[in-house]
Amino acid sequence: MNRTALLSGVPLPGVPLPGVPGGFRGPFTRRPRTADAVLAAVMFLLTVFVEEAPGDALALRPVADVPLPVLLLFAVAGAALYRRRREPAAVLVVVLVAWAPTLGSSYATMGGMVVVALYGVGKYAGATRGNRLAVAAALAALVADGLLDSVPWGDIGFGVLVMAGAWYIGRRLRLRAERAVQLRYEQAAEARRIVTEERGHIARELHDVVAHRVSMMTVQAGAARMVAAHDPEEAREAMAAVEEAGRQALDELRHLLGVLRPEADRDRLGPQPRLDDLPRLVEQVREAGLDVSVVPAGGGAGAALPARVELSAYRIVQEALTNVLKHSGPRTRAEVRLRRDGGDLTIEVVDDGRGAAVPSVSAGAHGGVAGHGIVGMRERALLLGGSLDAGPRPGGGFRLTARLPTGGEPA
């Protein structure tokens, strides 16, 4: 089943199918062919050299005591175990066919091979009707062997439980692995949905920025036309403003292209928030109980920036502070640090994480769009050609650092 890769920083999704859930990978997972060859050889040797002795004991027997036809049956069944992963049902059938002629005799020692084959059917084969019949045939063969050899019913029942248990364990491990794969695919699909929705929010906001600039150009061009006859100098200044606004609008359009924009939200036209609106956002978050401050770190963070950068910076700070409220709660102290490093705007939001978590609180200044946490913030940074890192602080709390280029091409 082909799956598309995730966008941005989401673990996305080229995720390999896990064999066994969890981080441990034993030798049967790391080198399956070698492991299966060794297992097949060991089971063959045990079947040839180990036999039951009186008193439920085990004893070694010389290979010369095993008739050649029986030895060939042991070899065929042992060789079949090598393919227990690729053709588990066929392997079980071969082992049962090889076991059948020895039932009721002292050479009916292929029970271990049958257990391994049953586990393989449970682990590597689907729950088809044919596979269920093969499992039932193995249990029936065990019962027949016990009856032919006059084995007590208690011992027969124990053997049935061992064989059925081997199949059941394999089956449970298969279902567990399938659930783990399904969970990863669902998480990948959810991450893709979040990224797509966040791109839609970003596209709408950039659309509004461009629409606002074009409206300003229209007004300035109209003013230039009205004064052109009696004040040419003022008309030239107005047209220069139109030219600058046009350049900025084209720059924003270049970043808008390629971002899939869903059905436009007609009720949200107008200027979008900028870094100048951070004090209002901080005040709203303080009212929600968070002790937050904006710490200028020098470098002229307040200098003129492209509208797309200011919009993304504002939304990143907004979402970061909302996350502090959601995960650390009020009584937490947070700091927002902004600085200009060459051609980049760096945003750092740190908190001490000392509050008690509360239900989700929206820091919705300017009718803020509900975000999707770190996934959405990282997507905003990547669309500008920047980056975003977030994680726990060594001394407690959380740190989020975003780098937003203030010029150049988007990622």
Side-chain angles (χ1 to χ4, degrees):
M1 181 181 295
N2 294 326
R3 304 281 177 174
T4 57
L6 294 184
L7 294 173
S8 69
V10 183
L12 246 144
V15 178
L17 300 183
V20 178
F24 175 75
R25 299 177 72 243
F28 282 84
T29 302
R30 293 197 301 269
R31 298 181 178 86
R33 292 186 178 180
T34 302
D36 287 345
V38 172
L39 177 64
V42 169
M43 294 307 301
F44 169 72
L45 294 175
L46 289 176
T47 304
V48 171
F49 291 103
V50 178
E51 65 178 352
E52 293 185 7
D56 292 335
L58 297 177
L60 293 177
R61 64 183 172 195
V63 67
D65 292 349
V66 182
L68 182 59
V70 175
L71 192 61
L72 291 176
L73 291 176
F74 290 167
V76 170
L81 290 180
Y82 177 70
R83 301 185 64 84
R84 68 187 186 93
R85 297 174 192 263
R86 285 165 285 183
E87 301 174 78
V91 168
L92 177 58
V93 171
V94 170
V95 173
L96 290 178
V97 169
W99 189 31
T102 67
L103 294 179
S105 70
S106 60
Y107 304 111
T109 54
M110 280 193 249
M113 291 188 179
V114 176
V115 169
V116 173
L118 283 170
Y119 173 82
V121 170
K123 182 70 165 58
Y124 304 110
T128 64
R129 181 179 179 182
N131 292 341
R132 289 193 293 267
L133 290 176
V135 173
L139 300 179
L142 176 65
V143 173
D145 180 60
L147 293 177
L148 291 172
D149 206 22
S150 301
V151 176
W153 277 105
D155 293 344
I156 294 176
F158 178 76
V160 169
L161 286 177
V162 171
M163 287 191 175
W167 172 84
Y168 179 77
I169 291 172
R171 181 64 182 164
R172 294 302 301 176
L173 289 176
R174 176 183 176 86
L175 294 176
R176 183 183 174 192
E178 288 176 349
R179 283 197 296 269
V181 172
Q182 183 63 29
L183 178 60
R184 290 193 182 190
Y185 286 157
E186 290 175 356
Q187 290 173 341
E190 176 65 11
R192 287 193 295 271
R193 185 194 65 79
I194 290 174
V195 169
T196 299
E197 186 173 335
E198 195 66 29
R199 281 180 177 268
H201 291 320
I202 296 170
R204 284 195 295 270
E205 291 170 347
L206 288 175
H207 167 270
D208 296 343
V209 169
V210 173
H212 179 65
R213 292 197 183 281
V214 173
S215 298
M216 292 176 56
M217 291 168 57
T218 303
V219 172
Q220 290 166 338
R225 179 179 58 82
M226 294 177 62
V227 302
H230 57 82
D231 194 343
E233 184 61 29
E234 184 175 350
R236 280 194 296 271
E237 292 178 0
M239 293 308 297
V242 171
E243 181 182 7
E244 178 62 23
R247 288 199 182 109
Q248 292 176 356
L250 287 175
D251 195 29
E252 303 300 338
L253 278 173
R254 188 178 69 251
H255 287 265
L256 177 60
L257 292 176
V259 179
L260 181 61
R261 185 175 189 273
E263 184 65 24
D265 187 352
R266 302 301 181 184
D267 297 330
R268 303 188 56 175
L269 294 177
Q272 294 293 328
R274 306 172 69 93
L275 290 179
D276 290 342
D277 298 305
L278 279 182
R280 186 184 308 176
L281 171 65
V282 169
E283 187 61 32
Q284 291 183 348
V285 176
R286 283 174 180 164
E287 292 175 359
L290 186 66
D291 182 7
V292 59
S293 59
V294 179
V295 182
L305 293 170
R308 64 179 180 277
V309 176
E310 293 215 29
L311 174 60
S312 293
Y314 179 93
R315 293 302 191 199
I316 288 173
V317 172
Q318 181 186 45
E319 186 67 37
L321 294 178
T322 302
N323 283 347
V324 174
L325 276 171
K326 289 167 61 178
H327 301 295
S328 296
R331 301 186 301 279
T332 301
R333 175 170 177 76
E335 288 186 349
V336 179
R337 303 166 185 167
L338 306 174
R339 65 176 180 272
R340 291 286 290 273
D341 295 327
D344 296 340
L345 171 66
T346 300
I347 304 168
E348 188 177 34
V349 181
V350 296
D351 67 79
D352 56 19
R354 295 176 182 172
V358 296
S360 175
V361 178
S362 174
H366 293 268
V369 179
H372 295 287
I374 293 175
V375 173
M377 290 186 282
R378 181 174 284 116
E379 183 68 12
R380 289 183 180 277
L382 290 176
L383 286 177
L384 292 176
S387 61
L388 184 141
D389 296 309
R393 300 169 63 193
F398 200 81
R399 172 183 282 108
L400 180 144
T401 304
R403 180 186 62 82
L404 305 181
T406 57
E409 298 297 326

